[in-house]
Amino acid sequence: MAALVTISSVCYRGVRPLLFRSSSLIRPLAVQKDRDCPYLISAKIHATPSNYAYSGSKAASLHWTGERILSIALLGLAPVAYYYPGPAVDYSLAAALTLHGHWGLGQIVTDYIHGDFKIKMANAGLFLLSTVTFAGLCYFNYHDVGICKAVALLWSK
Amino acid sequence: MALLLRTVARQGLCSSRLQFAVLYRHAVPMGTTAKEEMNKFWTKNTRLNRPVSPHVSIYKWSVPMMMSISHRGTGVALSSGISAFALAALVLPESYPYYLDLIHSMSFGPQFLAFSKFALAFPVAYHTFNGIRHLIWDLGKGFRIPEVYRSGYIVIALTVVTSIGLAAM
Protein backbone atom coordinates (compact mmCIF):
# COMPACT_ATOMS: atom_id res chain seq x y z
CA MET A 1 0.00 0.00 0.00
CA ALA A 2 2.67 2.41 1.01
CA ALA A 3 4.74 1.22 -1.90
CA LEU A 4 1.87 2.04 -4.19
CA VAL A 5 1.64 5.51 -2.77
CA THR A 6 5.36 6.04 -3.30
CA ILE A 7 5.23 4.65 -6.79
CA SER A 8 2.15 6.56 -7.80
CA SER A 9 3.69 9.78 -6.58
CA VAL A 10 6.83 9.06 -8.59
CA CYS A 11 4.77 8.07 -11.60
CA TYR A 12 2.88 11.31 -11.41
CA ARG A 13 6.05 13.33 -11.27
CA GLY A 14 7.68 11.19 -13.91
CA VAL A 15 10.95 9.33 -13.84
CA ARG A 16 12.99 12.35 -14.97
CA PRO A 17 13.33 13.86 -11.49
CA LEU A 18 14.72 10.56 -10.26
CA LEU A 19 17.20 10.04 -13.00
CA PHE A 20 18.57 13.49 -13.44
CA ARG A 21 18.52 14.74 -9.89
CA SER A 22 20.89 12.94 -7.65
CA SER A 23 19.21 14.43 -4.60
CA SER A 24 16.88 12.22 -2.67
CA LEU A 25 13.13 12.25 -2.76
CA ILE A 26 11.49 12.24 0.60
CA ARG A 27 7.82 11.57 0.81
CA PRO A 28 5.97 11.05 4.04
CA LEU A 29 3.63 8.07 3.85
CA ALA A 30 0.96 6.79 6.15
CA VAL A 31 0.99 3.07 6.83
CA GLN A 32 -2.48 1.63 6.89
CA LYS A 33 -1.42 -1.97 7.37
CA ASP A 34 -0.91 -1.87 11.10
CA ARG A 35 -3.74 -0.05 12.63
CA ASP A 36 -2.42 -0.44 16.16
CA CYS A 37 0.80 1.44 15.42
CA PRO A 38 0.22 3.99 12.73
CA TYR A 39 3.25 6.07 12.05
CA LEU A 40 4.76 8.00 9.21
CA ILE A 41 7.46 6.45 7.07
CA SER A 42 9.80 8.58 5.06
CA ALA A 43 10.87 6.84 1.93
CA LYS A 44 14.23 8.15 1.02
CA ILE A 45 15.21 7.10 -2.42
CA HIS A 46 18.51 7.69 -4.07
CA ALA A 47 17.88 7.11 -7.71
CA THR A 48 21.51 7.19 -8.68
CA PRO A 49 24.63 8.03 -6.79
CA SER A 50 25.57 11.61 -7.46
CA ASN A 51 28.90 10.55 -8.92
CA TYR A 52 27.24 8.11 -11.34
CA ALA A 53 28.75 8.85 -14.74
CA TYR A 54 26.38 9.05 -17.70
CA SER A 55 26.74 5.73 -19.44
CA GLY A 56 24.99 4.13 -22.36
CA SER A 57 25.23 5.48 -25.84
CA LYS A 58 22.92 7.68 -27.87
CA ALA A 59 23.26 5.35 -30.84
CA ALA A 60 19.65 4.17 -30.85
CA SER A 61 18.29 7.68 -30.49
CA LEU A 62 20.52 9.02 -33.24
CA HIS A 63 19.52 6.12 -35.48
CA TRP A 64 15.88 7.03 -34.99
CA THR A 65 16.53 10.64 -35.88
CA GLY A 66 18.56 9.59 -38.90
CA GLU A 67 15.69 7.46 -40.12
CA ARG A 68 13.29 10.40 -39.98
CA ILE A 69 15.71 12.77 -41.69
CA LEU A 70 16.28 10.25 -44.47
CA SER A 71 12.53 9.82 -44.92
CA ILE A 72 12.08 13.56 -45.32
CA ALA A 73 15.01 13.71 -47.74
CA LEU A 74 13.47 10.93 -49.81
CA LEU A 75 10.16 12.80 -49.85
CA GLY A 76 11.94 15.85 -51.18
CA LEU A 77 13.78 13.84 -53.82
CA ALA A 78 10.57 12.78 -55.54
CA PRO A 79 9.60 16.17 -57.03
CA VAL A 80 13.26 16.90 -57.78
CA ALA A 81 13.45 13.64 -59.72
CA TYR A 82 10.39 14.64 -61.70
CA TYR A 83 11.47 18.16 -62.60
CA TYR A 84 15.26 17.74 -62.76
CA PRO A 85 16.07 14.19 -63.86
CA GLY A 86 19.72 13.39 -64.30
CA PRO A 87 22.69 11.47 -62.86
CA ALA A 88 22.89 13.49 -59.65
CA VAL A 89 19.30 12.64 -58.75
CA ASP A 90 19.75 9.08 -60.02
CA TYR A 91 22.58 8.33 -57.62
CA SER A 92 20.90 10.22 -54.77
CA LEU A 93 17.76 8.16 -55.29
CA ALA A 94 19.79 4.96 -55.39
CA ALA A 95 21.43 5.80 -52.08
CA ALA A 96 18.32 7.12 -50.33
CA LEU A 97 16.05 4.30 -51.50
CA THR A 98 18.54 1.60 -50.55
CA LEU A 99 19.29 3.04 -47.13
CA HIS A 100 15.61 3.72 -46.34
CA GLY A 101 14.78 0.14 -47.30
CA HIS A 102 17.75 -1.22 -45.36
CA TRP A 103 16.75 0.58 -42.17
CA GLY A 104 13.10 -0.32 -42.64
CA LEU A 105 13.83 -4.01 -43.09
CA GLY A 106 16.19 -3.75 -40.11
CA GLN A 107 13.25 -2.69 -37.95
CA ILE A 108 11.33 -5.75 -39.15
CA VAL A 109 14.25 -7.98 -38.15
CA THR A 110 14.31 -6.34 -34.72
CA ASP A 111 10.58 -6.84 -34.29
CA TYR A 112 10.17 -10.43 -35.35
CA ILE A 113 13.49 -12.25 -35.02
CA HIS A 114 14.71 -13.35 -31.61
CA GLY A 115 17.82 -15.08 -30.39
CA ASP A 116 21.38 -13.83 -30.75
CA PHE A 117 22.42 -16.13 -33.60
CA LYS A 118 19.25 -15.68 -35.65
CA ILE A 119 19.43 -11.91 -35.28
CA LYS A 120 23.05 -11.89 -36.38
CA MET A 121 22.31 -14.08 -39.40
CA ALA A 122 19.28 -12.03 -40.43
CA ASN A 123 21.19 -8.78 -40.22
CA ALA A 124 24.07 -10.24 -42.19
CA GLY A 125 21.68 -11.38 -44.91
CA LEU A 126 20.02 -7.99 -44.92
CA PHE A 127 23.35 -6.23 -45.24
CA LEU A 128 24.24 -8.43 -48.18
CA LEU A 129 20.90 -7.72 -49.84
CA SER A 130 21.24 -3.97 -49.40
CA THR A 131 24.79 -4.00 -50.71
CA VAL A 132 23.78 -5.91 -53.83
CA THR A 133 20.78 -3.61 -54.29
CA PHE A 134 22.89 -0.48 -54.11
CA ALA A 135 25.51 -1.98 -56.42
CA GLY A 136 22.85 -2.96 -58.92
CA LEU A 137 21.22 0.46 -58.88
CA CYS A 138 24.57 2.21 -59.34
CA TYR A 139 25.43 -0.17 -62.17
CA PHE A 140 22.09 0.65 -63.75
CA ASN A 141 22.70 4.35 -63.36
CA TYR A 142 26.14 4.10 -64.92
CA HIS A 143 25.73 1.56 -67.71
CA ASP A 144 22.06 1.94 -68.49
CA VAL A 145 19.52 4.75 -68.76
CA GLY A 146 19.36 5.60 -65.03
CA ILE A 147 16.45 5.50 -62.56
CA CYS A 148 14.67 8.72 -63.59
CA LYS A 149 14.80 7.88 -67.28
CA ALA A 150 13.71 4.32 -66.57
CA VAL A 151 10.56 5.47 -64.81
CA ALA A 152 9.87 7.98 -67.58
CA LEU A 153 10.26 5.29 -70.24
CA LEU A 154 8.10 2.86 -68.33
CA TRP A 155 5.34 5.43 -68.07
CA SER A 156 5.61 6.68 -71.62
CA LYS A 157 3.80 3.74 -73.19
CA MET B 1 10.11 2.96 -12.42
CA ALA B 2 10.71 -0.79 -12.36
CA LEU B 3 13.65 0.14 -10.16
CA LEU B 4 11.33 1.37 -7.44
CA LEU B 5 9.06 -1.64 -7.67
CA ARG B 6 12.05 -3.90 -7.35
CA THR B 7 13.60 -2.20 -4.36
CA VAL B 8 10.37 -1.81 -2.47
CA ALA B 9 9.17 -5.33 -3.30
CA ARG B 10 12.50 -6.77 -2.34
CA GLN B 11 12.53 -5.36 1.14
CA GLY B 12 8.82 -5.85 1.62
CA LEU B 13 6.79 -3.62 3.81
CA CYS B 14 7.52 -5.32 7.09
CA SER B 15 6.91 -2.79 9.77
CA SER B 16 9.20 -4.77 12.06
CA ARG B 17 12.22 -3.55 10.11
CA LEU B 18 11.28 0.01 10.69
CA GLN B 19 13.12 0.54 13.94
CA PHE B 20 14.35 3.82 12.54
CA ALA B 21 10.87 4.54 11.15
CA VAL B 22 12.52 5.11 7.78
CA LEU B 23 12.48 3.05 4.58
CA TYR B 24 15.96 3.56 3.34
CA ARG B 25 17.49 2.08 0.24
CA HIS B 26 20.19 2.96 -2.17
CA ALA B 27 18.49 2.17 -5.46
CA VAL B 28 21.01 0.71 -7.86
CA PRO B 29 20.49 1.55 -11.52
CA MET B 30 19.62 -1.45 -13.66
CA GLY B 31 22.75 -3.02 -15.13
CA THR B 32 21.14 -4.55 -18.18
CA THR B 33 20.09 -3.02 -21.47
CA ALA B 34 16.63 -3.34 -22.91
CA LYS B 35 18.03 -5.64 -25.57
CA GLU B 36 19.54 -7.94 -22.93
CA GLU B 37 16.29 -7.99 -20.99
CA MET B 38 14.33 -8.91 -24.11
CA ASN B 39 16.81 -11.66 -25.00
CA LYS B 40 16.47 -13.07 -21.49
CA PHE B 41 12.69 -13.01 -21.89
CA TRP B 42 12.74 -14.86 -25.19
CA THR B 43 15.35 -17.47 -24.29
CA LYS B 44 13.58 -18.29 -21.05
CA ASN B 45 10.15 -18.57 -22.59
CA THR B 46 11.23 -20.56 -25.62
CA ARG B 47 13.24 -22.86 -23.37
CA LEU B 48 10.20 -23.48 -21.21
CA ASN B 49 8.19 -24.00 -24.42
CA ARG B 50 5.52 -21.64 -23.24
CA PRO B 51 2.63 -21.02 -25.63
CA VAL B 52 2.14 -17.50 -26.90
CA SER B 53 -1.23 -15.93 -26.15
CA PRO B 54 -3.30 -15.45 -29.31
CA HIS B 55 -3.24 -11.86 -30.44
CA VAL B 56 -3.74 -11.14 -34.14
CA SER B 57 -5.88 -14.24 -34.51
CA ILE B 58 -8.46 -13.15 -31.93
CA TYR B 59 -8.35 -9.38 -31.67
CA LYS B 60 -10.89 -7.51 -33.76
CA TRP B 61 -9.15 -5.85 -36.69
CA SER B 62 -9.43 -2.09 -36.87
CA VAL B 63 -8.63 0.37 -39.64
CA PRO B 64 -5.51 1.71 -37.87
CA MET B 65 -4.26 -1.86 -37.39
CA MET B 66 -4.80 -2.71 -41.04
CA MET B 67 -3.17 0.50 -42.21
CA SER B 68 -0.18 -0.08 -39.98
CA ILE B 69 0.56 -3.56 -41.26
CA SER B 70 -0.14 -2.36 -44.81
CA HIS B 71 2.50 0.29 -44.34
CA ARG B 72 4.96 -2.41 -43.42
CA GLY B 73 3.69 -4.69 -46.20
CA THR B 74 4.01 -2.05 -48.92
CA GLY B 75 7.46 -1.21 -47.59
CA VAL B 76 8.60 -4.81 -47.89
CA ALA B 77 7.00 -5.16 -51.32
CA LEU B 78 8.60 -1.97 -52.66
CA SER B 79 11.97 -2.86 -51.19
CA SER B 80 11.79 -6.35 -52.70
CA GLY B 81 10.85 -4.83 -56.04
CA ILE B 82 13.80 -2.47 -55.97
CA SER B 83 16.17 -5.26 -54.96
CA ALA B 84 14.81 -7.51 -57.71
CA PHE B 85 15.26 -4.70 -60.21
CA ALA B 86 18.83 -4.08 -59.06
CA LEU B 87 19.64 -7.79 -59.22
CA ALA B 88 18.16 -8.02 -62.70
CA ALA B 89 20.26 -5.04 -63.78
CA LEU B 90 23.37 -6.87 -62.65
CA VAL B 91 22.48 -10.26 -64.08
CA LEU B 92 20.55 -9.70 -67.32
CA PRO B 93 22.66 -9.24 -70.46
CA GLU B 94 20.59 -6.70 -72.40
CA SER B 95 19.76 -3.08 -71.63
CA TYR B 96 16.61 -1.71 -70.05
CA PRO B 97 15.09 -0.25 -73.27
CA TYR B 98 15.52 -3.66 -74.88
CA TYR B 99 13.47 -5.41 -72.24
CA LEU B 100 10.91 -2.62 -72.18
CA ASP B 101 10.39 -2.98 -75.94
CA LEU B 102 10.16 -6.74 -75.44
CA ILE B 103 7.30 -6.29 -72.99
CA HIS B 104 5.56 -3.80 -75.25
CA SER B 105 5.89 -6.09 -78.25
CA MET B 106 3.85 -8.65 -76.36
CA SER B 107 0.88 -6.38 -77.15
CA PHE B 108 -1.09 -6.37 -73.96
CA GLY B 109 -4.21 -4.24 -74.11
CA PRO B 110 -4.18 -0.61 -72.98
CA GLN B 111 -6.29 -1.58 -70.00
CA PHE B 112 -3.59 -3.97 -68.90
CA LEU B 113 -0.96 -1.23 -69.17
CA ALA B 114 -3.13 1.20 -67.23
CA PHE B 115 -3.79 -1.43 -64.59
CA SER B 116 -0.07 -2.23 -64.29
CA LYS B 117 0.69 1.44 -63.77
CA PHE B 118 -2.02 1.58 -61.12
CA ALA B 119 -0.62 -1.55 -59.45
CA LEU B 120 2.84 0.01 -59.34
CA ALA B 121 1.70 3.45 -58.24
CA PHE B 122 -0.64 2.24 -55.50
CA PRO B 123 1.91 0.86 -53.01
CA VAL B 124 4.25 3.80 -53.67
CA ALA B 125 1.47 6.31 -53.04
CA TYR B 126 0.14 4.49 -49.97
CA HIS B 127 3.56 4.09 -48.37
CA THR B 128 4.39 7.73 -49.11
CA PHE B 129 1.19 9.22 -47.72
CA ASN B 130 1.10 6.92 -44.71
CA GLY B 131 4.79 7.72 -44.23
CA ILE B 132 3.90 11.40 -43.97
CA ARG B 133 1.24 10.42 -41.43
CA HIS B 134 3.95 8.64 -39.44
CA LEU B 135 6.19 11.69 -39.56
CA ILE B 136 3.35 13.82 -38.23
CA TRP B 137 2.98 11.35 -35.36
CA ASP B 138 6.71 11.66 -34.75
CA LEU B 139 6.10 15.37 -34.22
CA GLY B 140 3.67 14.33 -31.51
CA LYS B 141 0.54 15.35 -33.34
CA GLY B 142 -2.65 13.49 -34.14
CA PHE B 143 -2.66 10.72 -31.56
CA ARG B 144 -6.25 11.08 -30.40
CA ILE B 145 -8.31 8.19 -31.70
CA PRO B 146 -10.69 10.27 -33.87
CA GLU B 147 -7.64 12.01 -35.33
CA VAL B 148 -6.00 8.66 -36.05
CA TYR B 149 -9.06 7.51 -37.97
CA ARG B 150 -9.44 10.80 -39.78
CA SER B 151 -5.83 10.95 -40.94
CA GLY B 152 -6.09 7.30 -41.93
CA TYR B 153 -9.09 7.90 -44.17
CA ILE B 154 -7.36 10.91 -45.71
CA VAL B 155 -4.33 8.75 -46.52
CA ILE B 156 -6.54 6.12 -48.17
CA ALA B 157 -8.40 8.72 -50.21
CA LEU B 158 -5.19 10.44 -51.32
CA THR B 159 -3.69 7.08 -52.23
CA VAL B 160 -6.59 6.09 -54.46
CA VAL B 161 -6.80 9.49 -56.17
CA THR B 162 -3.03 9.71 -56.72
CA SER B 163 -2.80 6.16 -58.03
CA ILE B 164 -5.60 6.77 -60.52
CA GLY B 165 -4.00 10.06 -61.52
CA LEU B 166 -0.59 8.47 -62.03
CA ALA B 167 -2.05 5.53 -63.94
CA ALA B 168 -3.75 7.94 -66.31
CA MET B 169 -0.50 9.76 -67.12
Side-chain angles (χ1 to χ4, degrees), chain A residues 3 7 10-11 34 39 41-42 44-47 68 108 111-112 114 116 132-133 139-140 144 150 154-155 157, chain B residues 1 4-5 8 15 23 27 39 42 72 76 79 83 85-87 89-90 95-96 100 104 117 138 166 169:
Chain A
I7 288 162
V10 169
C11 280
D34 291 302
Y39 47 82
I41 316 168
S42 293
K44 196 178 181 194
I45 308 162
H46 284 264
R68 316 298 127 158
I108 294 177
D111 279 350
Y112 299 136
H114 309 290
D116 282 327
V132 170
T133 303
Y139 177 89
F140 186 80
D144 216 318
L154 184 67
W155 235 255
K157 306 285 170 69
Chain B
M1 185 55 233
L4 268 166
L5 281 164
V8 178
S15 41
L23 278 170
N39 270 340
W42 282 108
R72 184 159 267 192
V76 172
S79 203
S83 291
F85 179 81
L87 208 63
L90 285 169
S95 71
Y96 178 78
L100 205 57
H104 287 135
K117 289 183 188 174
D138 291 334
L166 284 173
M169 279 170 70

Side-chain angles (χ1 to χ4, degrees), chain A residues 64 67-68 70-79 100, chain B residues 67 71 74 123-143 147-148 151-152 154-156 158-159 162:
Chain A
W64 186 92
E67 284 179 330
R68 316 298 127 158
L70 180 65
S71 302
I72 294 169
L74 193 52
L75 268 175
L77 262 180
H100 183 74
Chain B
M67 290 190 70
H71 189 76
T74 50
V124 176
Y126 178 83
H127 193 83
T128 305
F129 288 123
N130 203 227
I132 295 172
R133 184 166 167 241
H134 263 284
L135 288 171
I136 296 173
W137 284 333
D138 291 334
L139 289 170
K141 297 182 173 309
F143 276 109
E147 292 171 335
V148 169
S151 60
I154 291 173
V155 163
I156 294 173
L158 279 172
T159 301
T162 306

Side-chain angles (χ1 to χ4, degrees), chain A residues 31-120:
Chain A
V31 171
Q32 279 153 340
K33 260 176 78 172
D34 291 302
R35 251 177 298 171
D36 19 303
C37 48
Y39 47 82
L40 283 173
I41 316 168
S42 293
K44 196 178 181 194
I45 308 162
H46 284 264
T48 56
S50 46
N51 59 353
Y52 183 67
Y54 169 78
S55 83
S57 77
K58 281 170 74 179
S61 167
L62 289 172
H63 179 84
W64 186 92
T65 310
E67 284 179 330
R68 316 298 127 158
I69 292 176
L70 180 65
S71 302
I72 294 169
L74 193 52
L75 268 175
L77 262 180
V80 175
Y82 183 77
Y83 289 110
Y84 303 101
V89 177
D90 279 340
Y91 286 101
S92 307
L93 265 177
L97 279 171
T98 320
L99 190 56
H100 183 74
H102 179 75
W103 280 347
L105 291 170
Q107 294 290 357
I108 294 177
V109 169
T110 308
D111 279 350
Y112 299 136
I113 299 182
H114 309 290
D116 282 327
F117 178 73
K118 278 193 244 177
I119 293 174
K120 211 171 263 186

Side-chain angles (χ1 to χ4, degrees), chain B residues 29-71:
Chain B
M30 287 173 69
T32 51
T33 63
K35 193 179 263 186
E36 289 164 4
E37 291 282 318
M38 279 313 297
N39 270 340
K40 278 161 63 181
F41 171 85
W42 282 108
T43 51
K44 176 178 175 182
N45 283 288
T46 48
R47 179 174 47 86
L48 293 169
N49 231 337
R50 285 180 175 164
V52 176
S53 301
H55 45 296
V56 288
S57 49
I58 54 162
Y59 205 82
K60 180 174 178 175
W61 280 95
S62 63
V63 170
M65 277 169 81
M66 289 189 269
M67 290 190 70
S68 178
I69 193 60
S70 300
H71 189 76

